[in-house]
Amino acid sequence: MSVDALISTYFANGRLSDLPRDHFIDGRFVPAETGNRMESFDPGRATVFGDFAAGTAVDVDRAVSSAVAGFAIWRDTAPATRCAVLMEAARLMRAEADWLAVVESLDSGKTLAEAYGDVQGSARLFEYYAGAADKLDGRSVNLGNDNAAFTLREPVGVTAHIVPWNYPSSTLVRGIAPALAAGCSAVVKPAETTPYTALMIAELLIRAGLPAGVVNVVTGTGPEAGAPLVRDPRVRHVTFTGSVQTGVGVMQAVAPNVTGLTLELGGKSPLVAFADADAEKVAEGALWAIFSNAGQICSAGSRLVIHRDLHAQVLERLVQKATALRFGHGLHNPDMGALNSERHQAAISGHVERARIRGVEILCGGQATTDPATGKGWFFEPTILDALSADDPAIQQEIFGPVLGVQVFDDEDEALALANGTEFALAAGIYTKDISTALRMARRIDAGQVTVNDYWAGGIELPFGGNRKSGFGREKGLEGVDAYTRAKAITLAV
Ligand code: NAD
């Protein structure tokens, strides 16, 4: 079916046929042991459009057992074969991009264009790590003539992947693709509001040639399905992407088993604009740094740290651009889609209301709203809060929505202090025409990734991750394989 036909069928019926319904364990769909089910909402209309299995510890136990058996096969599969399977997964993802993108848009609320970006990015991740699968070599070590010594890079074993709802496909694939390249098996727990594409990708991997049991998916809530997964002692590495609060809980849960952990947590990333920067470039950069995916991005540029001399001209342009953004149902492909849930909409409203009560100047937006075309759905107006102090809660707390906080500076030291002035350290953008300023700031800013003159520059080839409360460990790039391999040293007396 064409994309247009899929979309018109959905709007006519309020449902999509052929959605996966159950967990994916040992190469096939299986219902929850309890038979319990959960509903999934279309955030653009605030209506239920599907249901799925509500997993519990029993389902998780089956999935981990399946992954243990899958690991025994996959770790001994030739690296060149792993490479071929991942390449085929990429090809299938591209061939089925329409279906995957429609489901992703509907489940998350994001625009169709953003959903296509997520799917194509996932296909690229499979390709990239396919290229790594047959290059995970150890090294030969010179101990002199009495010994021969070398290292092996071994897969760590069964890995668990806890995924949030903002980029359901690519966050999943940036974890499982390097894990599979390394020879690990996986159990995935997608977010409870976006369960479908994880199930679809797991099934697609089987068609690409992955042996049954190597990738398993259990759907359900964090406490019911996520918690038993991360504390299972058979899991040897957990890759968790989500909030700081849950991440800290996961860290405590894995401690007794001494399980490896990657934490990709929140952010409050600055876009720092110096006086010599081009005002139009800064305004356009800041617009998409915060309003892409309705601000629901861990690395969103949620703070504009701007020189006093540039403030008025940039803010005038930015407010005009922000108020001109069209928002609406994701499948109609507006500039900005819906928020993922009613609960999340309420949380964002709370942040903005408290700012209003504190007397913060709101330059535009500031209200929860609906799709202007239908009066339905969970939306929030593009919002800009001006001239905030360094300790304002709207600067210190992650809002994770379309809300930009502006901070004004007078010199470079102040810019740096403001940029580094939260407990997060995930990403940062610098706008200046002066290469020395750019390099000085890039070195001194505490962040996992820094871009210059294009906030979203970069790609899956570069490592991604945070410092301080933004987490630890790196995904993407060749560094992304490190968590899934361990070195073994072998020495022979000659
Ligand atoms: P969340 O922490 O509520 O949930 C994330 C995932 O954890 C979900 O799948 C959830 O079901 C699961 N979970 C909840 N409780 C659990 C438990 N006790 N044990 C195991 N799993 C559990 O986060 P969220 O609200 O869904 O996502 C938004 C947050 O994620 C934001 O803070 C955002 O910055 C962060 N995030 C970070 C990155 C990154 O790469 N750094 C990327 C995307 C999102």
Side-chain angles (χ1 to χ4, degrees):
M1 213 187 275
S2 71
V3 186
D4 291 344
L6 273 173
I7 293 172
S8 48
T9 307
Y10 169 69
F11 281 122
N13 304 335
R15 295 258 159 181
L16 279 179
S17 47
D18 300 330
L19 279 177
R21 293 176 43 80
D22 293 321
H23 304 312
F24 193 81
I25 299 173
D26 200 20
R28 60 200 174 85
F29 290 108
V30 292
E33 187 72 25
T34 60
N36 290 347
R37 305 194 62 76
M38 296 175 71
E39 290 177 326
S40 196
F41 283 79
D42 165 3
R45 300 209 293 188
T47 49
V48 172
F49 80 101
D51 62 345
F52 58 95
T56 60
V58 190
D59 304 311
V60 169
D61 183 60
R62 282 171 69 184
V64 177
S65 296
S66 164
V68 169
F71 177 60
I73 299 167
W74 192 239
R75 78 171 162 215
D76 292 335
T77 300
T81 305
R82 289 184 212 147
C83 167
V85 169
L86 295 179
M87 281 304 280
E88 178 61 6
R91 193 192 66 75
L92 287 172
M93 278 206 85
R94 291 194 200 285
E96 295 164 29
D98 289 348
W99 173 229
L100 284 158
V102 166
V103 172
E104 195 73 297
S105 168
L106 201 47
D107 214 9
S108 65
K110 66 175 66 201
T111 69
L112 195 55
E114 284 162 340
Y116 271 112
D118 202 14
V119 172
Q120 297 294 354
S122 304
R124 267 295 294 141
L125 283 157
F126 276 130
E127 281 165 1
Y128 182 80
Y129 289 109
D134 54 359
K135 298 171 193 69
L136 299 174
D137 304 325
R139 61 196 178 98
S140 163
V141 180
N142 185 358
L143 295 181
N145 289 340
D146 294 341
N147 293 283
F150 62 96
T151 65
L152 294 176
R153 274 184 93 176
E154 296 183 329
V156 296
V158 175
T159 61
H161 303 258
I162 307 282
V163 182
W165 42 261
N166 58 336
Y167 284 88
S169 309
S170 55
T171 307
L172 161 68
V173 178
R174 78 184 185 192
I176 61 168
L180 294 177
C184 298
S185 62
V187 180
V188 178
K189 210 299 280 174
E192 42 273 66
T193 55
T194 51
Y196 293 117
T197 47
L199 294 163
M200 291 158 68
I201 291 168
E203 189 273 336
L204 176 151
L205 277 160
I206 296 292
R207 280 187 282 128
L210 192 74
V214 181
V215 168
N216 308 272
V217 180
V218 176
T219 52
T221 68
E224 291 288 318
L229 175 59
V230 300
R231 57 167 191 258
D232 190 307
R234 293 170 294 175
V235 169
R236 295 319 308 143
H237 189 88
V238 173
T239 295
F240 172 85
T241 308
S243 62
V244 176
Q245 192 188 0
T246 312
V248 169
V250 169
M251 210 169 162
Q252 289 164 336
V254 303
N257 297 325
V258 198
T259 306
L261 181 62
T262 300
L263 286 182
E264 298 279 9
L265 307 177
K268 195 74 190 184
S269 301
L271 186 160
V272 185
F274 285 89
D276 66 339
D278 180 275
E280 176 58 24
K281 262 195 180 171
V282 173
E284 194 65 19
L287 182 81
W288 293 114
I290 182 62
F291 299 126
S292 296
N293 212 39
Q296 302 163 115
I297 308 183
C298 52
S299 53
S302 50
R303 295 187 290 137
L304 174 61
V305 179
I306 188 161
H307 193 278
R308 194 174 302 281
D309 294 349
L310 202 61
H311 176 263
Q313 32 176 332
V314 165
L315 267 296
E316 190 186 334
R317 287 168 200 249
L318 189 51
V319 168
Q320 195 227 324
K321 287 172 189 287
T323 45
L325 289 177
R326 294 169 304 119
F327 52 90
H329 195 283
L331 289 178
H332 292 315
N333 217 8
D335 298 320
M336 210 173 91
L339 301 170
N340 184 244
S341 68
E342 188 171 24
R343 203 175 67 141
H344 189 51
Q345 184 195 43
I348 295 170
S349 290
H351 281 286
V352 175
E353 268 324 296
R354 290 189 291 279
R356 201 189 303 276
I357 290 164
R358 288 195 300 277
V360 167
E361 188 180 357
I362 302 176
L363 296 182
C364 62
Q367 299 293 340
T369 184
T370 52
D371 179 351
T374 61
K376 296 178 183 165
W378 304 311
F379 293 82
F380 204 89
E381 295 170 349
T383 299
I384 301 176
L385 311 178
D386 199 16
L388 295 168
S389 64
D391 60 353
D392 192 279
I395 289 299
Q396 293 300 326
Q397 297 166 4
E398 185 183 43
I399 299 175
F400 214 58
V403 181
L404 177 68
V406 179
Q407 298 173 276
V408 183
F409 68 86
D410 289 300
D411 61 41
E412 191 177 315
D413 284 343
E414 192 184 4
L416 184 70
L418 292 177
N420 285 342
T422 74
E423 60 184 9
F424 298 105
L426 187 54
I430 300 163
Y431 280 64
T432 175
K433 294 193 182 101
D434 184 333
I435 191 166
S436 300
T437 307
L439 278 176
R440 257 195 326 270
M441 286 294 289
R443 286 188 176 138
R444 293 164 74 198
I445 282 183
D446 190 3
Q449 39 281 312
V450 178
T451 55
V452 177
N453 290 332
D454 175 359
Y455 189 81
W456 291 120
I460 59 137
E461 300 83 352
L462 285 157
F464 178 88
N467 305 331
R468 292 194 280 151
K469 286 212 175 159
S470 292
F472 53 77
R474 293 293 180 264
E475 297 194 274
K476 300 188 184 174
L478 288 179
E479 291 83 350
V481 190
D482 293 348
Y484 304 109
T485 62
R486 59 190 176 201
K488 177 182 277 174
I490 300 180
T491 310
L492 290 78
V494 176

